[in-house]
Each structure stands twice: as C-alpha cells, then as structure tokens.
Amino acid sequence: MRLSQVLNRQHIDFMFKKHWRVQGKRVPIDTGLEEQLKAKGIPIQDALEFVKEKPQEHEHLNIVGPYERPLPLDENHPAYKKQPCFTLRSTNVLLEGISQAQVLTKTIIAEDKLPPKIEELAQVPAPTAIHENIKKAILSANVFDCEQKKLPKLKDRERPAYNFPRVLGITDRRRNEILTNKLVQLVEKSSDSEVTMSRYILNDVESKTVFEKEDDLIQFQDISHILVTSNKPVKHDVEKDVTYNEIPDLHPIKCTVTLPPEHFYEEESKYPIKPTVNVRHPHTTWLHYNKTEVSNIYETPVTEQQLLGRSLTHAFTVASAYAKQLHGEDVKDLPEPIYINCIQTDGQKYHFGVLELNTLNVDGTEGTKNVWYCKNNLQLYGSSRYFGGMPVLENYNNKVYGYINALYNC
Amino acid sequence: MYLNRVHRTFPKLKKLVTRRQSQAVLSEQNEYTDTPEYPPILDMSLQGRKFRERQELHQKIQAINTVEEKQIALNMPRYYGWKCIIFNEDKVPYNAMPLVQYYTRSHFIPVDKLPEYYKETSEAADAVVKEIKGLIEEAILIENGGVDRKIITSTQKKEQPQLEDALAKCIVKQINRIISNNLADKVEHVLSSQVDYDPRHEAFWFIGGVDAPINVVRWRQQYKYLKDRWYESIDRPIQYLGTPLLTVRNRLPLKPILPFEEAENPEFKVPKFTAEPCAVGYSTEHRHGTNIPGFWPGDFDEFGLVSYHGRGHILGRRESFGPEDHIEALHCQAMKASFGWLLAQANYQGFTTFNDVTYPLVTQTVITNGQLWSLYAYQLNTIEMHRDKVDSPKSNICFGTKPLKLYDSIENGKVQGLNEDVLKMIVQFYLNAPEERDHEMKPYLGEEEQVVADIEDDNKRCWLENRYKHLVSNRPKHYLLPEVYLWERIYKIQFNSRFFEAKRRPFELGINPYTRRLDQHLPPYIPKGLRPYPKSRKKFETTYYPKV
C-alpha cells in the first residue's frame, strides 16, 4: 500500500510541523537600540546570562534490564588474550576437508574399514518389526512432523532476481533431531537390558579442546547432538595389516587456513560430563549436518571432502577433551589409546568412523599418530517427502541400521 | 444470425434438429393413503430457520470424506480467520479454573492415587520400579549438575521459567528412556510406540453459552426486532496452543477409564461459566482454527498414551496469587493440554466440534519440573459444546493429583528420599496397554478416502494438500487486513465532516469485510499459453473447496 494515499487525505499535523520549522528559524532584526544606548553610556548586559539555567548534573543511573547485557568485546573483557586462537566451530568447515583435518589432528586414515567386531555385528539381520519402525521414523521426520517454519529461499539460476513464494516446512535441524533420536531409541529398545543399563544418552552437549600446533594456538568447539556414554571406556581390537592414507602435505596452504583467529577464549579444554559421574566415558557421538547452518566462510558450497573432515575433527574434539579431563591438560602421548565412535548424518547419508586417539602432540608428521577408521556415504533412504500430495519413502536401505546398532553395542 | 442463414440455405436442416419430447407425468396409481401423511411442521421463526441452517451445516461437515477437507470446512465462513480466544498451555490467569472447566467441559476429580482402572498393573509396576530405581536416581543426579549444558534462553520470555523447563525436559527424556528400555521386552506396545520431542499441539472448537460481547450487543441494539434477543449468547471460537516436552503415541487407543454411559452421570455435570473470557484474562486473536495432535493426517500412530509438560510458567506467576491458585493453575494446564490433544486426535478420526465423538478417548498427562510431578488421567466423552448443545448432559472427566515430590533433595551427591509411589504411578502410565476397540473408529470418514492422500484425482489431491498446509500454517496474508484508519474513525464515523466525498470504504457501504468467506477470492489465472487447448475459454484454475 502506498502510504501517501492515506496520509494525504487529511493531516493537520503536517501543516503545523511546517509552521514550526519556519517559525523556528527566525532571524533577529537589528533595531539599532544597542548603539543608541552605548552612545548614551548605559551599560549593556546579555539577557541570556540571566535566563539560561545552569546545567544540573545527574547521577549516573545503573538501569537493571530484564536480562544481563553482555560485556563489550574489547581489551578489558576478562576472556581477552593477546595471542589469537584459531577456532573451529561446528558451523564452520575446513577448506581442504579431510586432508587438512588429518594434518591438524595428525591422523592416518584406514579408508572404508571399521574394526572387525563392528563389521561382524553389522551383518546380524534385524527383525522386520524394527525395519517397519525405522520406516515410520523416517516418514515422521520428513513428512509427518508438523513444524512449519521458513525454509531457505528458492533461487532459479536462469532468473536470479525472481522471488519465489517462501516455502514453509520442516527445518533440517528438526528433521535430523527427530530421525536420529528415534533411531537411537529403537536401537536401545531392541538391545539387551544389560547394555542399555550401562549406557547414558545426552543431547546437545558441547566439548571443547585447546591445543598448540607449531606455535599456533588452535581450539575446536563442537556440539555432540547425541552423545552416548558408557560406564567403561570403549575398546576395539584393531587389525594390524591395514593400508593407511598417510598425512598429506598441504603446501602452499597453511593448516590453519579458514580458521578464524579469535581473541576471546578460555585456555582450558572442556569435557561436558564431570569426572564424578559413573557413566562419563564417551562411546558414540552423533554429529548432524544441518545444511542451513554449516557453511564455508567464503560462501562456496560445502564439498563432500569437507564433510568427511568434519567427522574427524568432531571425533577428535570429544576424544581429546575426554583425554585431557582424564590425564590433565598437558598430556602428550597417551598411556593407552582412547577410542570413540562417530556418526555424522544429514538424515539421508551416514558416515561412520572410529577414532583411535594415541597422542595429543600434533606437531609435525612423525612419531605416534592417531588413527581414523571410517566407512562413508551409506544411504538410509532415497527420498522421503510429499510427492503430489502423497507421503513417499523410496529406496530404503536396511543395511545402515546394522552399523548403527553395531556401534551402539560394541 | 449465423444459424438463421444456414437454415435459410438448407431449409430442411430445421427438421433434422429434433425436439425433446415432452411427456405428461404419469399420475400415481394410488394418491390416497389410509392415514393422512403430513409434511413435518417446521418452526418458521427466524431462530427456527437459523437453527435448521446450522444443523444443515453440521450434516454437511459430517458427510465430508477426508480429515483435511473437514478442517477446511470448519474455516470456510471466515477468510481472515476466526476471532479466537487463545488458550495457551502455559498461560493461566488468576482463578481460571471455572472457565477452563466449562470451556473444556471437564469434571475434575482430585485424587491421591491413580483410579481403580490402574489396579491390574500395580504388581507389575512394583517389580519394574525395583529394577529401575537405581538408574532413575543416577539420572536425576547427572542431570542436576553432572553435565555442563549451555542452555540458550530467549530474551522474549522470563529466564527462570525457561531454565526450569529445559531441566525438566532433560529429566523427562531420561525417565522416558529408562522406563521404555526396561519395558520394551515386557510389554508389546512400547516398542512400536513413537516418542516425539516438542511436538506441535493445536486444537480448535466452539463454545456456546457465553455472554455476548459488547460490540455484538451494540449491533443488535440498532434493530428493534432484536429487542428480546439483545443478550442472546453466540458461539465463541477457541484455539488451544501447546508444546509438550515429550509425548508417546501408538497405533491403538487406550481403554476407557469409565464406561461411555457414565459421561451423562449428573454427578459429573460441569457448572456454567458465562462471564466474558477477557474478564478472566484471556485475549483474542484472528487466526484460522487448527487441529493438530503433533503429526499430519495419515500417520500410523494416531492415539496418544502419555504427554509430559513443563511447569516453568508457575514461576512467572505473581506470588500474590497464592499456593492454592498455583495448584489450580496446574490443574487448568492439565485439562487444557489433555482436552486439546484428545480433541485434535478426535478430529483425525473424523469428528469435529460439530459432530460429537461416538466413543471415549483417553490420555495421560504429566506436569513436572523434575522434582515435583502432577499426574492426570483424562477421558474425553464429548467435544460438541456449541450453542445448540449448551445443555448437553455429557461431560469429560479428569482425575488428577496434587504436585508430588519424586525426591526430597539432593545432598552430598546422593538423592534423598526417592518416592517410589510416584515412580510407580509413572510406570503404570506406561504399562497401561492400548487395545483394539470392537466398534468402528472412523464412522464419519469415507470408506476409501480418509485423508487427502487417498484421493485419486491428482489435481484435487495436490490442491487440497497445499491449501490445507497453507491454512494451518496461519502465515500472514499478502495484503494487509482491512481496517478503519484512525483519521476515518474521527472524521468520517464519529463526526460526519466529509459528507461530500464519495462513499467507497466498506464501513460506508455497510459491509463488514471480516464476514468474507474463505472461497471468496479469484483463483489463480491461467495464462493463454498454458491453457490446455488453444481455444479453451477457462481462464482460472479450478478450486476444490468443500461445499458447505
């Protein structure tokens, strides 16, 4: 609606405002009185000196608002440090993806290979009732959930300026939350009670690890969307004769590229569960890939390599935060390796991984190294959505559940 | 013209065009019957005619086949949405219990223990409690300080209630997890039940018997013939909005707590509450009525078992309300939440606020902050309470406890005084197994078409699906809502100072723009290039609004 249409009808106030503006700029006319009085020797004083009130000083009031305001981010901030810390959060990805993650965490990779026990457990077929329930969970996450929030804007490459009507639907955050939680619930319900009693499940807990690499301070902050913990640390029997992908040379890129330097940080690592808790040992950590939240800092789309790198850094964050809680902040080579399972998913694709953390000394490429076993790109379903007004689930793959179940039970 | 010319050139053509033969109607053999058959005597007064009109509408809605179309039909009379009284789950004003009870027709029975109905599962529950007691204690300890969480609170609401609800949610998740893991092998329905976090619960209904609002009375006072009906009550639309922390739902419904006939027991009659809802503290909002039990029509698990709600809003209430009113507020929350969820479920079975349920539905509601637990069992017997059913004898029944402490305190890293009775009651809610009913569940839905996805016509199915989702999203309209600008109110309505101007605005023409019907709009235009046949004259796309 054009505002002028309504405003023009009748608006006395506009006329008054105009009047005030004209009247407010009056120029005093020189009447010649001052000179006449001076000539007669009468002293003249400025009238404003008598009229003008002296400015009253008020005390500075400290107004208490409904909530505490954050402190200004400057050099007086308590968390301010002079040395910048290169920070990786779960909303950012590494430029070079998995190879940069390898360099940062000093890890060698066993591609397409999980510890034999997991592979063994994954082949055990699940009853059909479980698969029916998984299908229900997929449909409930993609189709039947009632969230109606704004989805990302639609764009047409041919006509980039065209504005499509905004679509409302289930956001990727909620979609992943529903699906992964339902999967974990199903796994738990179908597992032995002895196993489930020794596990604990946490949602949305943050781990943080700070470490030095070749004189650079680096911190990883990551949220485990689901963290399965157990009362005993996980152990895996690992095959010896495996071919590993060695740590690559990133030259001319530096390993901290695209990690934004920050001056406000804490120097201590943080594992979310306190050491007094019995079931504190990390077992499996689930990481969601929410397309609307994770991005490169330079606007380019996230590549598959970058996604895989995300899994590795995430597992490293949780494992090293736990190791530092266990052995102290300055531990380098660990007395015995720490294992952690990691599942990254965008709902459809699943990336499984097991990290064997041997050392926290990530300088150089020699000496003890960490090992990352992974199996990537397993698809749970082809598509699930409303197609022509009908709920659809296509190409359900019943093998993925086996791996999820195996990671939980191993 | 054209035809004439042809006829002139080919005069015989006229004879070829055959006329339909007209025939006299065959008179019936026997016009007379032994006893006279009179047509029914109809009340032809204005009220009588309006009453019949309303009944016809209710019949039409009942006859509609699919759930979604019924929901659209409920909203047909209002393009800009109904002026709903908003029943938020977590906003309970002072002394709202009589109002909530009347608006949900709930008879509240305060109890200390669960009703007799739960007696069967008592022993099984005892055994389960023994097994899970230690785990529950451990979970409570971990959630109260064993884990560092970063809870992000919004600055729109008070902080304290949000923190309490966040903690309650964590504890509820753990307790649900522990109980369902334990019961998964023991009872069948636990494995197949679905658990939802933060689902969207909405319900919409009409309530009759409430005093007419002042603007309606003023409007009636203009007309002499309405003199004896100035204060007659009108239907008030009500919208419930809620988000439980966690719900469990199943393919089958729970058994009724009391037999359906008990619904008409005069002991359970709910007293009338006719005062304006704004006098109690409820406000109104224009929106389309929506009935959503946490999933779209077509999901497999349609019946609720348990829902958990937070009680953080109690912290946001004024202290001067007193502890008794806080407890009543919890009862109100439970009645609203239980009725709202069940009504939405009933809507997915094909019943609406105009077509009453033919069988009872049951749900179990828990309100908690982790330490204090109030447990409610609710049976839905009636959802029809519009103005023609004000004196209906049916009422819904709610059993509820006071807030009970699950544990006394946490000292030295240990839970002190875990109350096993409370834990047992929660376990009993899970042990209460849903059952197949031996009557028809969806009498008012079609046999083959029950939801829009069953419709065979592609265009109709897609159109209805999109329209339904658009309607229930309640997204703002593209154009601003009609309004009377302030300058118009002053210079045109209150003081007739612009009598010389042409009268074009709706209020000058005596039109109320808010009575516009949902289908009173131009359907999307079909550009010429896209029309099915080059000479097709159809300029606008077809709409499939239900005909009510």
Side-chain angles (χ1 to χ4, degrees):
Chain A
M1 190 187 68
R2 246 179 33 238
L3 274 180
S4 57
Q5 247 177 5
V6 181
L7 292 173
N8 283 344
R9 299 257 163 95
Q10 180 137 357
H11 207 316
I12 297 172
D13 203 33
F14 283 170
M15 198 263 280
F16 271 96
K17 271 185 194 163
K18 201 82 184 163
H19 188 69
W20 271 93
R21 185 172 293 166
V22 172
Q23 292 290 315
K25 287 176 185 166
R26 283 167 70 172
V27 184
I29 308 160
D30 188 13
T31 52
L33 187 68
E34 197 178 333
E35 278 174 20
Q36 281 188 16
L37 290 174
K38 259 186 191 170
K40 290 182 180 175
I42 300 170
I44 298 166
Q45 281 180 327
D46 193 0
L48 286 177
E49 297 239 328
F50 296 92
V51 179
K52 212 177 185 177
E53 277 182 34
K54 277 172 194 163
Q56 205 181 346
E57 276 191 17
H58 292 284
E59 269 182 50
H60 186 70
L61 285 178
N62 192 16
I63 296 169
V64 183
Y67 55 93
E68 228 172 277
R69 284 172 171 272
L71 291 171
L73 288 176
D74 55 17
E75 290 176 10
N76 300 322
H77 194 277
Y80 178 82
K81 311 273 176 349
K82 208 164 185 195
Q83 188 191 6
C85 182
F86 295 95
T87 309
L88 178 71
R89 293 210 163 78
S90 49
T91 50
N92 189 6
V93 285
L94 299 169
L95 179 69
E96 286 294 305
I98 187 90
S99 33
Q100 193 182 345
Q102 265 184 289
V103 176
L104 278 172
T105 60
K106 199 177 171 187
T107 308
I108 47 176
I109 298 179
E111 196 90 46
D112 216 9
K113 197 150 212 119
L114 289 175
K117 197 182 165 195
I118 292 180
E119 290 286 359
E120 214 173 275
L121 274 173
Q123 301 312 322
V124 180
T128 44
I130 297 283
H131 287 299
E132 287 308 307
N133 282 321
I134 297 174
K135 284 179 194 167
K136 275 205 290 194
I138 296 171
L139 278 174
S140 135
N142 289 294
V143 178
F144 289 125
D145 188 63
C146 297
E147 192 178 58
Q148 288 189 301
K149 289 208 175 129
K150 276 184 185 172
L151 298 184
K153 282 184 182 171
L154 299 177
K155 280 288 169 198
D156 186 1
R157 269 164 194 266
E158 306 278 302
R159 357 166 238 179
Y162 189 84
N163 289 326
F164 288 97
R166 199 73 183 262
V167 182
L168 302 186
I170 312 169
T171 53
D172 47 2
R173 169 182 274 264
R174 179 143 175 98
R175 182 194 314 268
N176 286 340
E177 257 175 28
I178 295 176
L179 185 55
T180 51
N181 277 309
K182 286 197 173 175
L183 284 176
V184 172
Q185 282 159 10
L186 271 173
V187 169
E188 288 215 295
K189 282 179 193 168
S190 58
S191 301
D192 289 342
S193 62
E194 281 170 25
V195 181
T196 54
M197 273 159 76
S198 64
R199 301 269 193 277
Y200 198 80
I201 303 229
L202 290 163
N203 283 111
D204 299 326
V205 285
E206 194 185 51
S207 315
K208 192 177 83 174
T209 178
V210 189
F211 55 93
E212 274 191 3
K213 180 177 167 67
E214 287 138 21
D215 300 334
D216 282 329
L217 199 60
I218 300 173
Q219 69 166 344
F220 289 174
Q221 280 186 20
D222 242 335
I223 290 178
S224 308
H225 291 99
I226 301 175
L227 182 64
V228 182
T229 59
S230 66
N231 57 2
K232 274 181 278 173
V234 207
K235 285 271 170 285
H236 285 296
D237 300 324
V238 193
E239 287 175 73
K240 292 285 177 225
D241 45 341
V242 184
T243 48
Y244 294 109
N245 294 358
E246 286 300 324
I247 300 173
D249 184 13
L250 290 181
H251 187 79
I253 290 171
K254 201 189 167 192
C255 64
T256 54
V257 67
T258 69
L259 297 188
E262 278 192 14
H263 288 276
F264 304 94
Y265 57 91
E266 310 272 323
E267 274 169 339
E268 277 164 16
S269 304
K270 197 192 92 186
Y271 180 65
I273 307 173
K274 297 210 170 128
T276 49
V277 175
N278 187 21
V279 283
R280 68 179 179 282
H281 311 283
H283 187 280
T284 307
T285 167
W286 288 67
L287 176 66
H288 293 168
Y289 169 52
N290 301 334
K291 275 184 193 135
T292 51
E293 291 168 15
V294 182
S295 60
N296 272 303
I297 56 172
Y298 299 118
E299 294 190 359
T300 48
V302 177
T303 62
E304 199 185 309
Q305 287 302 311
Q306 290 178 329
L307 262 191
L308 301 183
R310 214 167 157 254
S311 283
L312 176 52
T313 50
H314 176 76
F316 179 80
T317 312
V318 181
S320 63
Y322 167 70
K324 285 183 179 178
Q325 190 194 57
L326 213 62
H327 303 292
E329 195 71 31
D330 303 321
V331 67
K332 291 295 174 194
D333 286 352
L334 298 175
E336 54 180 58
I338 288 172
Y339 293 92
I340 185 167
N341 309 332
C342 175
I343 305 176
Q344 185 184 202
T345 175
D346 66 343
Q348 254 178 316
K349 278 188 178 169
Y350 286 75
H351 314 286
F352 300 97
V354 174
L355 180 71
E356 180 186 317
L357 191 72
N358 295 316
T359 177
L360 290 177
N361 175 18
V362 290
D363 289 342
T365 52
E366 298 305 317
T368 19
K369 293 170 201 162
N370 304 316
V371 190
W372 173 245
Y373 303 89
C374 61
K375 187 148 201 152
N376 297 323
N377 289 332
L378 286 169
Q379 198 152 14
L380 182 64
Y381 58 90
S383 82
S384 174
R385 66 215 150 100
Y386 268 111
F387 180 73
M390 285 183 291
V392 171
L393 170 62
E394 283 169 356
N395 300 338
Y396 169 69
N397 176 6
N398 56 11
K399 297 211 171 95
V400 181
Y401 174 79
Y403 281 98
I404 298 172
N405 192 31
L407 285 192
Y408 180 86
N409 279 308
C410 68
Chain B
M1 272 287 284
Y2 180 64
L3 201 74
N4 278 346
R5 222 183 298 150
V6 174
H7 281 175
R8 238 174 266 149
T9 349
F10 308 101
K12 278 181 184 171
L13 204 70
K14 234 178 193 176
K15 286 172 195 168
L16 286 175
V17 181
T18 48
R19 267 181 76 183
R20 273 198 201 129
Q21 285 188 335
S22 51
Q23 278 184 343
V25 179
L26 284 172
S27 58
E28 265 188 43
Q29 292 296 316
N30 201 354
E31 254 180 38
Y32 301 96
T33 52
D34 296 339
T35 48
E37 284 177 9
Y38 296 109
I41 301 171
L42 298 176
D43 179 7
M44 294 309 285
S45 65
L46 182 63
Q47 282 102 316
R49 277 177 287 151
K50 289 283 174 194
F51 174 68
R52 278 200 302 284
E53 259 175 42
R54 288 197 298 273
Q55 277 198 323
E56 204 182 323
L57 172 76
H58 303 169
Q59 292 299 329
K60 278 182 184 168
I61 292 181
Q62 184 178 319
I64 293 173
N65 271 343
T66 62
V67 177
E68 286 96 329
E69 281 177 288
K70 283 187 195 231
Q71 296 305 315
I72 298 175
L74 281 181
N75 285 298
M76 278 308 278
R78 292 286 181 275
Y79 181 84
Y80 293 107
W82 297 97
K83 194 179 177 189
C84 299
I85 299 163
I86 300 293
F87 255 33
N88 272 315
E89 177 207 332
D90 56 354
K91 270 181 203 149
V92 188
Y94 178 68
N95 196 17
M97 186 118 159
L99 179 139
V100 172
Q101 278 193 295
Y102 181 60
Y103 282 20
T104 61
R105 250 347 160 272
S106 312
H107 176 75
F108 185 76
I109 305 174
V111 288
D112 295 327
K113 284 180 179 172
L114 292 180
E116 284 290 294
Y117 168 74
Y118 288 94
K119 218 171 184 181
E120 298 167 21
T121 53
S122 175
E123 282 175 23
D126 278 327
V128 175
V129 167
K130 260 181 208 165
E131 287 175 26
I132 62 171
K133 196 180 150 193
L135 289 173
I136 298 267
E137 277 181 337
E138 192 187 6
I140 291 170
L141 277 179
I142 294 176
E143 296 303 332
N144 283 293
V147 185
D148 283 334
R149 283 182 200 278
K150 217 198 243 170
I151 294 162
I152 299 159
T153 52
S154 105
T155 49
Q156 305 289 323
K157 293 178 186 169
K158 288 185 183 173
E159 195 181 16
Q160 216 55 37
Q162 293 183 57
L163 292 179
E164 192 177 87
D165 281 346
L167 176 67
K169 193 177 170 193
C170 294
I171 294 182
V172 163
K173 274 184 188 174
Q174 295 305 336
I175 289 186
N176 171 62
R177 169 181 169 261
I178 293 167
I179 297 179
S180 10
N181 285 349
N182 188 289
L183 294 182
D185 311 333
K186 292 170 189 157
V187 270
E188 209 179 310
H189 66 269
V190 171
L191 180 68
S192 59
S193 300
Q194 284 197 57
V195 178
D196 297 325
Y197 297 149
D198 302 318
R200 173 177 165 195
H201 284 189
E202 294 179 3
F204 173 76
W205 70 99
F206 285 101
I207 182 86
V210 182
D211 291 348
I214 189 70
N215 55 347
V216 174
V217 175
R218 290 229 180 93
W219 181 84
R220 284 173 182 165
Q221 282 171 344
Q222 299 174 64
Y223 304 102
K224 271 186 188 169
Y225 66 93
L226 288 176
K227 199 169 181 188
D228 47 343
R229 295 174 51 206
W230 280 359
Y231 299 104
E232 200 180 274
S233 77
I234 53 166
D235 273 345
R236 293 297 195 87
I238 300 175
Q239 176 74 52
Y240 164 77
L241 304 171
T243 329
L245 305 173
L246 185 149
T247 59
V248 185
R249 56 192 166 90
N250 197 278
R251 191 175 58 83
L252 299 171
L254 292 172
K255 305 177 287 248
I257 303 175
L258 298 171
F260 194 38
E261 298 76 46
E262 279 288 293
E264 297 186 10
N265 189 340
E267 273 179 35
F268 299 146
K269 185 87 181 148
V270 180
K272 267 192 179 182
F273 186 89
T274 61
E276 273 273 296
C278 66
V280 179
Y282 283 103
S283 56
T284 55
E285 191 183 296
H286 261 107
R287 55 171 288 146
H288 296 296
T290 52
N291 280 295
I292 298 170
F295 51 90
W296 293 128
D299 200 329
F300 317 96
D301 300 321
E302 290 187 306
F303 297 98
L305 305 185
V306 191
S307 70
Y308 289 91
H309 300 258
R311 46 172 281 165
H313 66 101
I314 298 289
L315 295 177
R317 301 180 96 222
R318 283 195 208 158
E319 256 179 50
S320 57
F321 288 2
E324 261 182 47
D325 192 70
H326 288 332
I327 292 175
E328 278 193 4
L330 290 177
H331 297 334
C332 288
Q333 187 191 358
M335 282 188 282
K336 278 189 213 174
S338 318
F339 179 80
W341 196 24
L342 287 174
L343 173 58
Q345 287 169 29
N347 269 274
Y348 278 18
Q349 300 300 312
F351 307 103
T352 61
T353 174
F354 296 132
N355 315 114
D356 207 357
V357 285
T358 53
Y359 51 86
L361 284 172
V362 172
T363 188
Q364 307 165 118
T365 307
V366 181
I367 300 179
T368 178
N369 64 355
Q371 188 182 20
L372 291 167
W373 295 69
S374 338
L375 303 134
Y376 300 87
Y378 195 97
Q379 175 165 334
L380 184 86
N381 296 317
T382 178
I383 56 173
E384 201 180 23
M385 40 190 101
H386 53 85
R387 67 164 108 168
D388 302 327
K389 297 283 170 156
V390 171
D391 300 318
S392 150
K394 283 185 188 171
S395 51
N396 306 313
I397 298 151
C398 179
F399 296 90
T401 67
K402 285 186 174 174
L404 304 166
K405 271 191 178 178
L406 181 63
Y407 58 91
D408 291 334
S409 60
I410 297 173
E411 283 168 23
N412 311 327
K414 274 189 181 166
V415 175
Q416 301 291 335
L418 186 84
N419 189 344
E420 286 185 27
D421 292 337
V422 179
L423 192 57
K424 183 180 156 188
M425 287 197 244
I426 303 170
V427 172
Q428 275 176 306
F429 276 2
Y430 280 83
L431 282 172
N432 186 10
E435 266 182 11
E436 194 113 33
R437 301 266 179 99
D438 53 3
H439 49 70
E440 202 186 344
M441 297 304 285
K442 302 181 178 182
Y444 300 154
L445 291 183
E447 278 179 16
E448 287 176 6
E449 288 175 4
Q450 298 201 326
V451 288
V452 158
D454 300 335
I455 294 176
E456 274 189 19
D457 181 357
D458 276 349
N459 293 332
K460 188 179 181 185
R461 181 176 0 95
C462 293
W463 188 90
L464 278 170
E465 163 71 22
N466 289 335
R467 189 70 192 95
Y468 173 68
K469 293 283 160 68
H470 191 273
L471 190 85
V472 296
S473 73
N474 269 307
R475 62 193 298 173
K477 299 234 172 278
H478 182 67
Y479 292 108
L480 293 176
L481 302 192
E483 73 177 303
V484 176
Y485 300 112
L486 191 57
W487 71 267
E488 285 177 329
R489 186 169 294 286
I490 297 169
Y491 294 109
K492 287 188 164 185
I493 298 177
Q494 289 175 340
F495 306 98
N496 189 14
S497 66
R498 299 168 73 99
F499 46 84
F500 42 80
E501 280 185 357
K503 297 195 187 324
R504 295 206 176 104
R505 303 274 292 144
F507 63 88
E508 291 167 332
L509 303 172
I511 296 169
N512 179 2
Y514 281 91
T515 52
R516 183 173 167 184
R517 282 176 65 84
L518 194 62
D519 55 353
Q520 283 178 345
H521 65 85
L522 213 52
Y525 178 73
I526 313 175
K528 272 196 174 170
L530 298 180
R531 289 184 200 166
Y533 184 69
K535 281 192 177 174
S536 169
R537 302 297 291 270
K538 199 183 153 209
K539 288 186 180 173
F540 297 100
E541 285 173 13
T542 325
T543 58
Y544 298 91
Y545 284 108
K547 292 186 178 52
V548 291

